[in-house]
Amino acid sequence: MLAQQTIDQLRQLNLTGMIDALRQQREQPVIQELAFEERLALLLEREILHRENRRLDRLLKAARLRVHACIEDIDYRHPRGLEKPRIAALAQLDWVRQAHNLCLTGPTGCGKTWLACAFGNQACRQGLSVRYLRLPALFEQLRIAHGDGSYPRLMQQLLKTELLILDDWGMQKMTASQRQDLMEVIEDRHGRRATLIASQLPTEHWHEYIGEATLADAILDRLLHGAHRIALTGESMRKRTAPLTDHDRSK
């Protein structure tokens, strides 16, 4: 009866991790031999771990990363312009906390999206808020927001996001309204939040892609000044990792 009362009180305090740990302790007689302080420490450790896992799940769900990727799983065996020391330094995410930007460029299939999502996953694991968006999808969300009056709320959500990942930069030609919207997003985040850009276009072609000289100058000055840049090279990783066909094996 006393044990159930304790569990009910823990539930009232939303200490779910401690409830699970307490039940496990009751099922393991050897733990009963530990001192009270040791058992309490185990309960607290479980509660902390439970909260960290729950927070990570919440951050990952909100991030909506396109692929599941982890920094630890980066393949360095094939030359792509990735340097372990540099990636390890970027994985500390000081650039995110300092509101700097990261630009990933390279040809189709070289792993830009995967690497961007790996940095996003790493940020979530460090308790930072992340949002992954393809640039065309961002433009569509902004277009709808202008029409239904939710534009201020959407802009505020984007501003609060500590790492905004914009993938497929340069895939579609920009309209005048899209250029203006992009300027507003980048201007809001400049110096306050970090942005990661993934693009097939080398950065020297971004000015032409944006199209309008004045806005292009303003956007790129805020995006690229002091930004970290990784230019991926080599053939498609999809080709390298694709399973061999019977025809391939016969060669």
Side-chain angles (χ1 to χ4, degrees):
M1 183 67 181
L2 181 59
Q4 185 57 49
Q5 182 180 0
T6 300
I7 289 175
D8 291 341
Q9 290 172 334
L10 290 173
R11 186 173 288 109
Q12 288 178 7
L13 295 171
N14 199 28
L15 298 173
T16 310
M18 290 185 71
I19 292 174
D20 294 338
L22 180 60
R23 285 172 173 160
Q24 288 184 5
Q25 287 190 8
R26 291 173 63 190
E27 295 171 359
Q28 300 176 21
V30 66
I31 295 184
Q32 309 298 326
E33 300 174 7
L34 298 177
F36 170 77
E37 290 81 2
E38 293 175 310
R39 293 183 61 189
L40 179 59
L42 291 173
L43 293 174
L44 291 173
E45 286 177 7
R46 177 63 70 85
E47 179 61 33
I48 291 171
L49 180 61
H50 175 78
R51 293 192 178 200
E52 288 178 348
N53 288 337
R54 189 168 58 183
R55 184 183 187 192
L56 176 57
D57 288 343
R58 185 167 62 250
L59 287 170
L60 286 172
K61 183 177 181 180
R64 298 180 181 178
L65 300 175
R66 189 170 181 176
V67 296
H68 177 70
C70 298
I71 292 291
E72 297 85 353
D73 295 333
I74 293 176
D75 186 353
Y76 293 99
R77 293 173 299 174
H78 308 297
R80 288 187 291 158
L82 293 179
E83 302 171 353
K84 275 189 178 182
R86 189 177 185 203
I87 296 299
L90 290 172
Q92 299 301 311
L93 300 183
D94 291 337
W95 58 278
V96 176
R97 297 182 182 88
Q98 295 167 6
H100 295 166
N101 300 325
L102 172 61
C103 302
L104 304 177
T105 59
T108 300
C110 67
K112 300 182 299 297
T113 295
W114 194 98
L115 188 57
C117 289
F119 280 116
N121 182 288
Q122 183 77 352
C124 289
R125 287 155 63 183
Q126 294 191 21
L128 301 171
S129 59
V130 178
R131 188 165 185 179
Y132 170 95
L133 284 166
R134 294 178 60 252
L135 188 60
L138 172 63
F139 286 148
E140 180 63 12
Q141 287 187 18
L142 290 167
R143 184 190 68 79
I144 293 172
H146 279 298
D148 64 14
S150 63
Y151 181 79
R153 185 171 73 250
L154 175 57
M155 292 295 289
Q156 189 62 25
Q157 290 172 351
L158 294 173
L159 176 58
K160 286 182 178 179
T161 302
E162 290 167 290
L163 175 59
L164 176 63
I165 300 174
L166 296 180
D167 199 0
D168 290 340
W169 174 281
M171 293 289 287
Q172 298 177 357
K173 201 171 184 68
M174 278 192 211
T175 66
S177 61
Q178 288 172 344
R179 280 192 291 268
Q180 188 60 50
D181 283 340
L182 181 62
M183 178 63 202
E184 293 300 321
V185 171
I186 299 303
E187 171 62 25
D188 272 4
R189 297 180 60 79
H190 178 59
R192 293 191 280 181
R193 301 295 187 192
T195 303
L196 189 160
I197 304 292
S199 175
Q200 292 184 30
L201 288 178
T203 54
E204 55 266 29
H205 296 309
W206 288 10
H207 194 281
E208 179 183 356
Y209 161 64
I210 294 172
E212 201 282 316
T214 302
L215 279 179
D217 287 342
I219 291 169
L220 295 183
D221 178 67
R222 289 158 178 76
L223 266 183
L224 299 180
H225 180 71
H228 300 274
R229 305 188 194 188
I230 297 178
L232 298 173
T233 58
E235 67 178 18
S236 171
M237 292 296 291
R238 298 189 187 101
K239 293 180 181 178
R240 289 182 179 273
T241 58
L244 293 176
T245 65
D246 292 338
H247 178 69
D248 294 326
R249 294 189 184 94
S250 68
K251 290 182 179 181

